[in-house]
Amino acid sequence: MRTSYPRARLARTLARTALLFATATTVAATAACGGTGTESSSGKTVTVYSADGVGSWYHTQFAEFQQQTGIAVNLVEAGSGEVVNRVDKEQANPQADVVVTLPPFIQKAKANGLLQDSGVDTSAVPAADKDAEGKYVTLANNYLCFIANPSVDTTAMTWDDLLKPDFKGKLQYSTPGQAGDGTAVLILLQKLLGKQGALDYLNKLQANNVGPSSSTGTLQAKVDKGELSIANGDVQMNLTTIKEKGAKFSVFFPAAADGKKSTVAVPYVMGLAKGAPHKDDAKKLMEFLLSAQAQKSLGSDAFAVPARAELRDAPTGSGPSPSSVLKGVDLLPVDWNTVLADLDGDLAAYQKATGS
């Protein structure tokens, strides 16, 4: 099943995506060690198209992978939706070997025939976190959250509080359908308020919303600087930014009227691209990233939760951890295949409700 869009909107999306990838930095694993080449001495290279957020962890792991195998890794990062749109556009001349993105975009990639069975051993990953047909597997678990400038008291912040005039022009969330975290905002509100209730709420929120954003990551600096008071985010990316860049924003979860806080998972999910130019080497990389050696560093190096079941409680080092910020927050289950099936209609309804 291919997700359809009005032609004008599709053209704008592809143009934006092409520009994004044209200007994106292509990083070889050797770059982490000061190198500038895109191939190893053996001439073997694997290209990864990935949703942004775990770049630092990638660089460390890719450098280790190259040392062990002689295979270099080129990394291209973009928003969750842009990653899949790019792979789709390049079907006649595939460039990506491995695709990593968030749901429902990984399900969209499968439905559009952009992935193939990797044959990689995923037995250490629970069945709920991988495709039964072998087309994709969770690489790292992560969760939707919100962030606030230090000037904002989020102790008892509710969804209704976000509608207050105090936040007019000071609140922004990434766009559903373009960013995985933005799509998760819509999905979470649907689960809390029902589909129409979610649309009614987001319609009211537009009075405060700065405007669309195809990337959640770009909102962090705006909140930290005070350009925004509140934005959406995800636990892994936000905790990493606090640690690595000294960001001062806080991570929080808006509460319902009854005080209950909820969220949904937005994992990084990995698949082997159909027509991957370097299929065998790509499979080696996927196996390496799912190995206990690589997975056990997700908590301490990336503030993500390992996909491997036996490592879910791995320590995260100093500072806040995913488990600490999620304490007292209900994790609501999501059937992402159902989300994908309804996505076109839900996005059309969202655009109508918000005028975006």
Side-chain angles (χ1 to χ4, degrees):
M1 177 182 66
R2 183 176 298 275
T3 303
S4 59
Y5 297 88
R7 292 184 178 180
R9 181 169 174 250
L10 176 59
R12 291 195 299 271
T13 298
L14 291 178
R16 180 171 60 251
T17 301
L19 176 62
L20 186 151
F21 270 81
T23 58
T25 302
T26 302
V27 184
T30 51
C33 303
T36 57
T38 58
E39 291 190 353
S40 65
S41 57
S42 67
K44 294 184 176 182
T45 306
V46 171
T47 296
V48 176
Y49 283 6
S50 177
D52 50 8
V54 288
S56 297
W57 180 75
Y58 276 147
H59 290 171
T60 300
Q61 297 308 313
F62 292 167
E64 178 64 25
F65 176 72
Q66 181 175 351
Q67 183 176 7
Q68 292 185 18
T69 66
I71 303 169
V73 183
N74 291 331
L75 171 64
V76 181
E77 295 179 289
S80 309
E82 281 85 348
V83 167
V84 175
N85 286 338
R86 184 65 177 187
V87 176
D88 196 3
K89 182 182 178 183
E90 294 175 348
Q91 285 191 74
N93 183 27
Q95 302 297 309
D97 294 299
V98 177
V99 179
V100 182
T101 190
L102 309 185
F105 301 106
I106 195 70
Q107 287 82 7
K108 176 185 176 183
K110 177 190 174 182
N112 288 2
L114 304 179
L115 304 176
Q116 59 180 307
D117 186 351
S118 67
V120 170
D121 180 10
T122 62
S123 59
V125 179
D129 295 332
K130 58 189 176 185
D131 177 43
E133 297 177 358
K135 297 295 178 63
Y136 56 79
V137 59
T138 294
L139 175 62
N141 284 289
N142 191 19
Y143 308 92
L144 172 70
C145 67
F146 281 74
I147 56 175
N149 183 268
S151 63
V152 180
D153 181 6
T154 62
T155 305
M157 183 74 69
T158 68
W159 288 101
D160 286 342
D161 287 334
L162 302 185
L163 301 176
K164 291 180 177 179
D166 304 11
F167 296 122
K168 184 175 179 61
K170 300 291 287 183
L171 180 150
Q172 191 172 18
Y173 64 95
S174 51
T175 307
Q178 294 185 30
D181 293 322
T183 304
V185 170
L186 176 61
I187 300 307
L188 176 57
L189 287 169
Q190 287 179 344
K191 296 187 78 65
L192 294 174
L193 305 173
K195 288 197 174 186
Q196 188 57 51
L199 294 176
D200 293 342
Y201 177 86
L202 290 170
N203 173 266
K204 295 176 183 177
L205 191 63
Q206 277 302 101
N208 291 342
N209 188 22
V210 171
S213 174
S214 62
S215 173
T216 312
T218 58
L219 305 181
Q220 297 183 108
K222 294 181 180 180
V223 174
D224 200 37
K225 295 175 182 177
E227 295 175 22
L228 294 173
S229 295
I230 291 175
N232 71 314
D234 64 66
V235 170
Q236 178 277 321
M237 177 175 63
N238 297 148
L239 293 185
T240 297
T241 302
I242 290 171
K243 176 185 178 182
E244 294 184 350
K245 298 184 178 181
K248 303 301 182 184
F249 52 69
S250 61
V251 173
F252 76 103
F253 302 85
D258 61 4
K260 291 183 178 179
K261 300 178 181 181
S262 305
T263 191
V264 294
V266 282
Y268 293 91
V269 189
M270 176 172 63
L272 179 65
K274 183 179 180 180
H278 312 99
K279 178 179 178 181
D280 292 340
D281 290 337
K283 290 171 63 176
K284 292 178 182 178
L285 175 62
M286 293 175 70
E287 289 170 346
F288 175 84
L289 294 177
L290 287 174
S291 69
Q293 172 191 348
Q295 287 276 305
K296 68 183 180 182
S297 67
L298 275 167
S300 58
D301 294 354
F303 292 97
V305 178
R308 295 179 68 100
E310 82 275 16
L311 297 176
R312 292 287 170 92
D313 296 323
T316 57
S318 61
S321 65
S323 59
S324 67
V325 299
L326 286 164
K327 187 176 182 180
V329 180
D330 291 334
L331 180 60
L332 304 181
V334 178
D335 182 341
W336 289 105
N337 288 310
T338 299
V339 170
L340 179 61
D342 295 345
L343 190 60
D344 281 350
D346 286 348
L347 292 179
Y350 165 79
Q351 290 155 14
K352 182 178 180 179
T354 60
S356 60

